[in-house]
Structures are given as structure tokens and as C-alpha cells.
Amino acid sequence: DFALEAELKGALRKDFLWGYATAAPQIEGAWNIDGKGPSTWDVLAHTPGRVLDNSTGDDACRSYDFFKEDVKLMKSYGVNAYRFSLSWSRIIPLGSASDPVNEAGLAFYSDLIDELLAAGITPFLTLFHWDVPAALEERYKSMLNQDKFVKDFVRYARVCFERFGDRVKHWITYNEPGVYALAGYAGGAHAPNRSSDREKYDEGDTSTEPWIVGHTQLVSHGHVVKVYRDEFQPKQGGTIGITLSGNWSEPWDVEDESDRAAAQRALEFEIAWFADPVHGIGEVDYPACMREQLGDRLPTFTDNEKKLVRGSSDFYGMNTYTAFFVRTAVPPGSPIPPEDHKGNLLWFDENKQGVSRGAESDTEWLRTSPWGFAKLLRWIWSRYHKPIFVTENGTTTKGEHVSAPPREDVLNDTHRIEFYRSYVGELAKAVKEEGIDIRSYFGWTLMDNWEWAKGYTDRFGVTWIDFESPEKTRYPKRSAAFNRQYFKHLIAEA
Ligand code: GBH
């Protein structure tokens, strides 16, 4: 039993949804089984040198085979919701609007949904968590061709609403469109590996492509939401939205005006890039600071796109992990290099003198910064005033790269427990003290998994996975028991 803050008891609404989030390429495995087509992440994984530990997601946690076990595990963790993503190329192997659907792939997700509902767990579905069907990349460079991509994505979404919408009432179109655009088309480490860094990655124009890819996601999101609202929502009665990535940016020196402006720019480049067009008021456009820095490298919205995008999310979907200190990089007046995608900023990963970002994790960019989460919740609430669904939040913890069976002290992940205790505590305080409308919390993640270009080197799970074992044995960490007790304490009784 854990000691919990008495004054937060019952702070969360009785229908508060809580559980864990995952993504198909990170857990499913079965990358070419039962008719699944390859995704751009499969292509990346099978290209030597692109994944830190040279691993693939071919097997990952084998959730395709062991999904019933996953559901049992979640039930034992006391969750009432589960957020997972669908693999587009499992459902439509070649991806396009004229390609056939794969009934075996549809059956897998249908069975998973039924299994969840039977266990009393609400399914929260993400249509796109970074895995484009490889055929669409080969045929027309996927998101760089907006018109073709929109048609294909809309058809894929329509198939999902038709097949699952009778039972699924919570939809997310895109997971972190900004991360997808920047990591895949600027940094280059994520699929489809486009970058100006030709030594390491594939040909790409870093100065324009991320902004085009961001625009394609926004516009195709808008189209999908319109289809859902016009054709499905009236009879199915669900909600739909988009999930954005965002970490708090704190001025390096709060007394310094230029540092304060830098922090605001950081939030606008990362969050308002998508959130202003979707959730904002007034003229639909990207934030002024982005327009100013990027000029016509940043796409413009047509009148029809403006209509589609504005108001196209029933809620604010929030993924957040940490906080950074920032200040201006290039002095006012001097040119900002075209490969700057962050808003002319210097980022400080380390602790500021006298002020700590928070305890270190096993991931270089991630520290426990609940103070930043508290500020970010208020920034988002005051700027957009939409119900907030926290769709991802979590951490790695040092010392978990051991062999199976993991020792008791490894499974006793106190760093992760303190992360959840502090972040969820801030969430509960924001609700209780300021009336911020927060409706869900999904920890990242259910179990250690294939952490994209980092392979199996980062363990984010509340379940320790033995990747060496054929059946990917699952070992609950103590944080799972902590969260179970914590949410029971925080959620008001019916
Ligand atoms: C989430 O993205 C993803 O949705 C999820 O699939 C993933 O497993 C999880 O995070 C954990 O990583 O190297 O300093 O340039 C979080 C957003 C954006 C965080 C890119 C790391 C790289 C920072 N991520 N960022 S740095």
C-alpha cells in the first residue's frame, strides 16, 4: 500500500478515463503475417544502420498473438480505458483508396475491441501513429502529395468507422503530427528518413518538407473529421480529435524579455503550429511567429481548408513528457538558418543553475518535470479552453536493462512511481483548484516496447518485457500497482 494525498481523494470526475497507451508498430509484431503489408517503419527497420540497436519491430511484444493476455494484464492493473493505434497496412496492405481491405487484419482489431469491452475497458483508437503503408511512400511520396494522400487516408478512416464505430466511441486521427513531420523530414531518424543529412538518411528538403507534411496531416485530419461528423457521429455518437505533442518551455531567465519571448515561440512552434488552426479563434492560420520566420516555406490555407480545420477536434489531445529551459539562439536582425524548425531557440537539457528540470530518466531528453506539466495544462486551457484528454505521459527509469527474470529491485521502479505520483498529482490539482476540464490520463506505456529508432534500448512500460523469450514474457512493475491504487483514490465514486 502506498501513502496518498488525502486532500486529492475524489478530485477526478467519476467518468474519468484512465489507462495506458500503445502504438501498433511498437507492440504488435507480426509485421508480415495474415496479409499485412509493409509500413515505412518496417522498411526503416530492415535498412541497416537506422535503428540504434539494429533491432526491428518484426516481433516486438507479439501483441498480435497475445492480445488476450494484454487485456487480462490491463484488467489486473485496474484500468478503465486503453489507447492503441491501428496499423493502416494491416487493414489496407497497399494503402490506397482503390486497394482491397484485408479481412484478417480487420478481424484482429475487431477481436481486440470485443475483448476490451468484455473486460469493461473503453477502447480509444488512434488511426495514425506514424506507420504509413510503404506502397504509398513508393508510389507518390505519401504526405508530400497532399491530394492523393487525403483521398487514401479518408478511405482508410471510413473503413475503420464502418467496421469498428458501432463499438468504438473515442477516435484520434493523428498522433503528434509535429513530431512525425520533424523527425521524419528534418532530423531524418524516423520514417520515412528524409533529411538534408545525406550521409545518414535519404534525400529530402529539410527547409520545406516538414511544413508540407504538417499541412497534409492537418488538412486530411479535417477531411476525416467531416466524414465522421456527417456520416457516422449522428448514429454512432462518438467523439473525435487530434493528439498533439508538447513539452513546457520555460524562459532560461524569467527576468530577460528575450528569453520570455523565446519560451513563448517554443510553445507556438511546437504546439500552436497545429493547435491554433484547429482550436484557435479568429482567422485560421499558423502562428504569426512561424509565418514571420518561415515566410512562404510555410503552406497557406485555402478557404475550404480553413473551414475543414477550424473546430475539427472535439477535445484537446495532449501528449507531454518533460520541460526545457530555452533562450533565443540568433540575435534579432540576423538571418535564421532555413534548417531551424524550432523557432530560433537554444534548448537547455541540463539543469539551470539553482533550478532543477527534475530527476534524470534513462532517456537523455526526459526528466521528471511535473512543474512544467502544471504550467502547460494552464497554458493550453487558457489559450484553447477545450476539454483536455491526456493521451500520453510517462518515463523510462535507469537500471532496467537486465536479463530475465528481473530481480525484485528492478521491478520496484520507484523513479517511475514518483513520476506518476507527481504528474498525476498536478493533474488532479489543476482539476480541483482551477476547474480545468480534464477527462482522461493515459500512461505511456503498457509495456516495454520497440521505441522507434531507439529500438529496445528505452523501456517506458509499467510492465517489464523479456524480449529474449519467444513469448515475450510480461512482468508487472510496481508502478502498475501504484497507479491502480492512485486512480482508485483520485476518481470520485459513482
Ligand atoms: C511519444 O513521442 C510517442 O508518441 C511514443 O510513440 C513514444 O514511444 C514516446 O513518446 C516515448 O518516446 O532527441 O532531444 O531531439 C514523444 C515526443 C518527440 C519526444 C521527439 C522525444 C526527441 C527529443 N518525442 N523527442 S530530442
Side-chain angles (χ1 to χ4, degrees):
D1 263 26
F2 303 86
L4 303 172
E5 285 172 79
E7 67 272 20
L8 292 178
K9 188 168 166 45
L12 304 180
R13 46 195 290 153
K14 59 184 193 307
D15 60 354
F16 192 89
L17 294 172
W18 90 274
Y20 297 98
T22 62
Q26 298 184 267
I27 65 162
E28 284 181 2
W31 76 283
N32 61 355
I33 300 294
D34 292 345
K36 179 180 168 294
S39 76
T40 49
W41 273 96
D42 294 320
V43 172
L44 178 158
H46 296 139
T47 308
R50 297 256 155 117
V51 178
L52 188 62
D53 57 3
N54 293 309
S55 65
T56 69
D58 291 4
D59 297 324
C61 305
R62 293 190 60 194
S63 286
Y64 186 76
D65 301 309
F66 299 125
F67 72 92
K68 290 191 178 165
E69 197 172 313
D70 290 349
V71 175
K72 272 198 208 104
L73 197 61
M74 282 189 271
K75 198 162 162 74
S76 78
Y77 291 171
V79 309
N80 61 26
Y82 176 44
R83 172 176 176 240
F84 61 100
S85 84
L86 306 175
S87 155
W88 182 348
S89 63
R90 195 181 287 293
I91 291 177
I92 307 171
L94 294 173
S96 91
S98 51
D99 290 314
V101 301
N102 175 30
E103 289 298 335
L106 286 161
F108 166 67
Y109 293 116
S110 182
D111 291 350
L112 170 57
I113 290 162
D114 286 343
E115 196 75 13
L116 287 165
L117 291 172
I121 299 172
T122 299
F124 231 90
L125 264 63
T126 308
L127 292 172
F128 181 83
H129 199 127
W130 303 353
D131 47 341
V132 169
L136 302 187
E137 189 59 27
E138 285 157 25
R139 286 185 200 148
Y140 62 80
K141 294 199 165 66
S142 68
M143 290 188 197
L144 292 174
N145 189 328
Q146 184 182 310
D147 291 348
K148 289 204 164 101
F149 191 85
V150 165
K151 279 197 199 79
D152 293 345
F153 189 62
V154 167
R155 191 288 192 113
Y156 159 58
R158 193 188 290 277
V159 169
C160 298
F161 300 146
E162 277 165 7
R163 297 301 188 98
F164 310 133
D166 56 335
R167 291 157 289 160
V168 172
K169 306 302 167 191
H170 298 273
W171 296 96
I172 291 166
T173 54
Y174 283 97
N175 178 73
E176 302 186 345
V179 173
Y180 183 76
L182 292 176
Y185 293 80
H190 283 195
N193 287 134
R194 295 178 67 83
S195 170
S196 304
D197 182 353
R198 302 291 149 82
E199 304 249 304
K200 275 162 103 181
Y201 303 116
D202 299 334
E203 182 196 355
D205 177 359
T206 298
S207 71
T208 54
E209 290 183 2
W211 312 117
I212 296 169
V213 165
H215 198 75
T216 297
Q217 290 176 90
L218 261 183
V219 171
S220 55
H221 154 82
H223 278 280
V224 163
V225 170
K226 182 169 164 46
V227 166
Y228 185 69
R229 286 181 178 164
D230 289 352
E231 299 172 34
F232 297 93
Q233 208 169 35
K235 51 181 192 288
Q236 296 181 347
T239 58
I240 188 162
I242 190 166
T243 272
L244 305 178
S245 161
N247 293 308
W248 178 250
S249 289
E250 178 75 8
W252 175 259
D253 176 359
V254 279
E255 305 294 318
D256 184 316
E257 202 186 316
S258 138
D259 288 3
R260 286 201 305 273
Q264 185 65 16
R265 259 194 336 273
L267 293 165
E268 294 188 7
F269 263 74
E270 190 180 11
I271 297 174
W273 175 11
F274 298 95
D276 276 12
V278 170
H279 298 293
I281 47 170
E283 183 63 16
V284 177
D285 199 3
Y286 294 112
C289 69
M290 294 184 73
R291 187 59 73 196
E292 202 181 306
Q293 179 176 324
L294 303 167
D296 58 12
R297 289 194 279 129
L298 195 62
T300 48
F301 291 91
T302 66
D303 287 343
N304 186 43
E305 289 174 356
K306 289 181 184 174
K307 275 195 224 113
L308 282 169
V309 167
R310 174 56 46 85
S312 60
S313 188
D314 296 332
F315 52 85
Y316 187 99
M318 178 182 188
N319 285 1
T320 191
Y321 287 83
T322 194
F324 295 96
F325 295 112
V326 298
R327 68 190 328 179
T328 301
V330 173
S334 13
I336 300 165
E339 59 275 14
D340 179 298
H341 296 94
K342 302 254 176 180
N344 185 20
L345 303 166
L346 289 174
W347 295 74
F348 293 92
D349 285 356
E350 75 276 20
N351 292 332
K352 186 172 142 177
Q353 249 182 338
V355 190
S356 172
R357 272 179 68 210
E360 278 178 47
S361 66
D362 207 21
T363 302
E364 65 300 335
W365 53 268
L366 208 179
R367 285 172 183 258
T368 304
S369 325
W371 58 273
F373 182 49
K375 290 186 182 191
L376 187 58
L377 281 168
R378 285 155 181 78
W379 189 86
I380 288 171
W381 178 246
S382 66
R383 191 169 172 118
Y384 303 116
H385 219 82
K386 275 282 178 69
I388 296 171
F389 283 84
V390 176
T391 42
E392 273 180 36
N393 181 233
T395 188
T396 53
T397 184
K398 292 183 193 229
E400 293 190 323
H401 299 285
V402 297
S403 39
R407 299 181 315 265
E408 257 320 296
D409 64 302
V410 171
L411 295 177
N412 186 10
D413 53 343
T414 49
H415 172 81
R416 184 173 288 102
I417 291 171
E418 287 317 311
F419 183 99
Y420 282 124
R421 183 200 295 279
S422 60
Y423 279 67
V424 176
E426 289 300 343
L427 181 149
K429 278 186 232 158
V431 170
K432 193 180 150 100
E433 291 163 15
E434 310 208 12
I436 300 182
D437 184 359
I438 307 175
R439 305 198 182 177
S440 80
Y441 182 89
F442 291 93
W444 185 268
T445 177
L446 178 60
M447 54 200 161
D448 298 340
N449 60 38
W450 193 56
E451 174 60 16
W452 308 109
K454 294 243 188 116
Y456 297 103
T457 64
D458 270 11
R459 290 177 176 266
F460 273 89
V462 295
T463 310
W464 194 92
I465 298 280
D466 177 9
F467 292 108
E468 308 280 308
S469 69
E471 62 286 356
K472 313 295 171 190
T473 312
R474 286 122 164 90
Y475 296 87
K477 300 179 191 176
R478 198 149 170 268
S479 51
F482 172 76
N483 280 342
R484 181 190 170 113
Q485 194 192 323
Y486 202 16
F487 281 95
K488 197 157 187 247
H489 174 76
L490 294 174
I491 298 174
E493 275 161 40

